[in-house]
Amino acid sequence: MSSINALVVGAGPNGLAAAITLARAGRRTLVLEAANAPGGGLRSEALTRPGFVHDVCSAIHPLAALSPFFRSLDLARHAVKWVRSPAALAHPVDGGTVLLERSVEATAARLSVDRDAYRRLMAPLVAAWPELADDLLAPPHVPAHPLRLARFAAVGLRSARGLALHAFHGQRARALFAGLAAHAIMPLDAPPTAAFALVLAATGHSVGWPFPAGGTGRLANALADELRLLRGELRLGEPVASLDDLPPARVVLLDVAPRQAAALAGKRLSAPSRRRLRAYRYGPGVFKIDWALDGPTPWLDPACARAATVHLGGSMDEIATAEQAVWRGEHPARPFVIFAQPSLFDPTRAPAGHHTAWAYCHVPAYSTEDMTERIEAQVERYAPGFRDRIIARHTANTADLEARNSNLVGGHIAGGIQDLRQIFRRPTLRHPYRLARGLYLCSASTPPGPGVHGLCGMFAARAALRSTGAR
């Protein structure tokens, strides 16, 4: 233990990315993880019945294919194969289904009166996306492409509802945009929810919305294996209650929520620093269901079977009403539902002739309300007979999610509210990663925020390395 240069607490994707970055720089690195498996939210288990593979939390990974960290890995060496459905997303509405295709033109073709408007909005963004994404998926810095970033900010810093009403005239395009923006877990009238819709749409057009064959746990195992190849050490089943319990190390990185960081660090942080971390704000939580099915989801519109992810919420107004209700602390009667059907494109997820699916909706933080009936009603709305296909289900409310992963404070899965006040103070204004001398935060509560991209960990590790004089 005396030979450890760097110590990481937490083996989520960001903690493992930090450890890999440190190990690549020649630092002897140890990772301590409380759970008995690596990955944090990157876990797969037989939640319903043996032979059915379910992703416990994170499942679809649009940002992983863009991430400079993941692009630096030879995932094929670790037997990770990306699966991409023909369309990234389906959004059924009255009278048909909108599809987020790889082609901007093919997507626009289903938008009726907004065909040209969608093309004008998205085509320039997609053309510039590889360079622009590198500026967006980074901590505060001097941008490499300032004009492109300024053009994006001009539209992205608006509210999703405001931009959709300004740019589009038909219900189809507005519904598609609203569903994408609802991933922000904020009211659609709040800025910068438009940015979330633009990022997810541009990513879908550029690289699709991929997921790992065999379950998202394969990706976590690949990161753990990469660390071991670099002679880093990962210890599972090793909870940490205080930094005072850790062996000596030149730098310590915490893949935990800000409140947990304050508790772990104790008096190693100043009283004002602890107060700032404790004041960090979290948003609504989620209620999640995993299903084992005896057949595919019986969609009214077969076009829904072209996408691994389906947004169920109807029109923009319906989605906005549901998300605003959650923000007020209410449980909407018709929640906006994010539904995934990975086994349609990855047969390793279920026994022959069977399928898996999962869905979640947003709920107030710390909610223990059972949303099963309301979620399944939304699925039945677009897939009558779905309930007849269910052979087993597993549900998780906000308390269940936080008990499984303490970073999901109140069941919130985005690492903290991402409004204009907090997106530039993630988690504090002074420094996005450094908490104290030799102590760094590397969780999704740091830039560039939530998503499976590993960049919070990579950038935090780079900051730690710079503090030791490394390039």
Side-chain angles (χ1 to χ4, degrees):
M1 297 294 285
S2 61
S3 66
I4 296 298
N5 297 139
L7 201 150
V8 179
V9 177
N14 286 308
L16 291 171
I20 289 169
T21 303
L22 293 163
R24 284 174 171 172
R27 302 301 187 265
R28 292 182 293 275
T29 305
L30 170 65
V31 181
L32 299 177
E33 167 57 47
N36 292 318
L42 286 179
R43 302 272 298 277
S44 300
E45 296 180 10
L47 294 175
T48 56
R49 290 188 176 183
F52 289 85
V53 178
H54 301 279
D55 295 326
V56 172
C57 184
S58 183
I60 310 293
H61 310 306
L63 298 181
L66 287 175
S67 165
F69 170 73
F70 276 103
R71 293 202 305 265
S72 74
L73 299 173
D74 183 2
L75 291 176
R77 178 186 189 185
H78 301 291
V80 173
K81 178 183 177 182
W82 288 116
V83 178
R84 290 174 171 84
S85 52
L89 167 71
H91 188 132
V93 294
D94 293 340
T97 298
V98 181
L99 292 173
L100 182 68
E101 306 267 15
R102 288 293 295 273
S103 162
V104 172
E105 182 60 43
T107 303
R110 287 178 172 260
L111 298 180
S112 185
V113 296
D114 289 311
R115 175 175 181 164
D116 293 338
Y118 187 84
R119 189 190 300 114
R120 285 193 300 270
L121 177 66
M122 293 307 305
L125 182 60
V126 173
W129 195 237
E131 296 81 15
L132 183 56
D134 285 344
D135 272 334
L136 290 172
L137 297 176
H141 68 295
V142 177
H145 305 279
L147 291 179
R148 288 176 178 172
L149 191 60
R151 293 190 192 103
F152 177 85
V155 290
L157 293 181
R158 301 176 62 176
S159 75
R161 187 180 181 92
L163 181 56
L165 289 173
H166 172 77
F168 306 124
H169 298 284
Q171 292 302 314
R172 287 171 170 249
R174 289 175 177 177
L176 173 65
F177 202 77
L180 291 165
H183 284 257
I185 322 180
M186 292 197 299
L188 300 193
D189 289 320
T193 47
F196 290 85
L198 294 171
V199 167
L200 288 173
T203 303
H205 290 310
S206 299
V207 296
W209 289 8
F211 55 93
T216 199
R218 297 279 184 91
L219 193 55
N221 292 335
L223 295 178
D225 290 343
E226 180 72 13
L227 176 62
R228 295 184 183 104
L229 287 175
L230 294 166
R231 299 187 178 181
E233 185 178 358
L234 170 61
R235 295 189 179 182
L236 302 173
E238 295 247 2
V240 176
S242 168
L243 297 189
D244 295 335
D245 300 333
L246 299 180
R250 192 167 183 182
V251 294
V252 176
L253 289 87
L254 305 177
D255 184 9
V256 301
R259 289 183 192 174
Q260 295 167 289
L264 286 171
K267 293 187 177 180
R268 293 196 187 189
L269 297 178
S270 67
S273 294
R274 291 198 302 273
R275 283 195 298 270
R276 284 193 292 268
L277 291 175
R278 289 170 182 152
Y280 187 76
R281 296 175 300 131
Y282 302 89
V286 303
F287 182 94
K288 180 173 181 282
I289 309 177
D290 288 274
W291 294 284
L293 307 173
D294 65 6
T297 300
W299 299 109
L300 277 173
D301 186 345
C304 290
R306 296 190 65 243
T309 304
V310 186
H311 285 170
L312 304 175
S315 69
M316 178 180 71
D317 289 341
E318 286 184 81
I319 297 170
T321 297
E323 294 302 289
Q324 184 64 53
V326 172
W327 200 255
R328 292 194 304 265
E330 302 168 5
H331 296 82
R334 278 190 164 187
F336 170 67
V337 173
I338 299 173
F339 180 97
Q341 46 188 2
S343 61
L344 281 183
F345 313 98
D346 177 11
T348 67
R349 301 290 184 114
H354 294 73
H355 286 273
T356 61
W358 62 256
Y360 71 79
C361 71
H362 302 143
V363 294
Y366 300 101
S367 165
T368 57
E369 186 89 3
D370 187 345
M371 298 293 287
T372 301
E373 174 63 30
R374 280 176 258 192
I375 288 176
E376 291 184 355
Q378 285 287 64
V379 182
E380 285 276 336
R381 178 181 172 186
Y382 300 101
F386 172 77
R387 285 194 181 100
D388 296 334
R389 298 271 168 100
I390 299 171
I391 57 177
R393 66 167 64 82
H394 175 275
T395 63
N397 62 25
T398 63
D400 299 324
L401 293 170
E402 187 173 3
R404 180 180 284 272
N405 183 347
S406 58
N407 282 342
L408 307 182
V409 176
H412 182 69
I413 61 173
I417 295 172
Q418 299 176 88
D419 58 8
L420 288 177
R421 171 183 163 191
Q422 193 158 273
I423 200 169
F424 297 111
R425 297 165 58 95
R426 198 167 180 90
T428 63
L429 185 61
R430 294 180 60 190
H431 195 293
Y433 307 108
R434 185 178 182 272
L435 299 177
R437 183 177 180 182
L439 180 62
Y440 296 82
L441 191 67
C442 67
S443 68
S445 299
T446 63
V452 176
H453 44 62
L455 296 176
C456 304
M458 185 184 82
F459 289 127
R462 289 182 178 178
L465 288 167
R466 285 194 297 270
S467 74
T468 65
R471 293 183 61 184

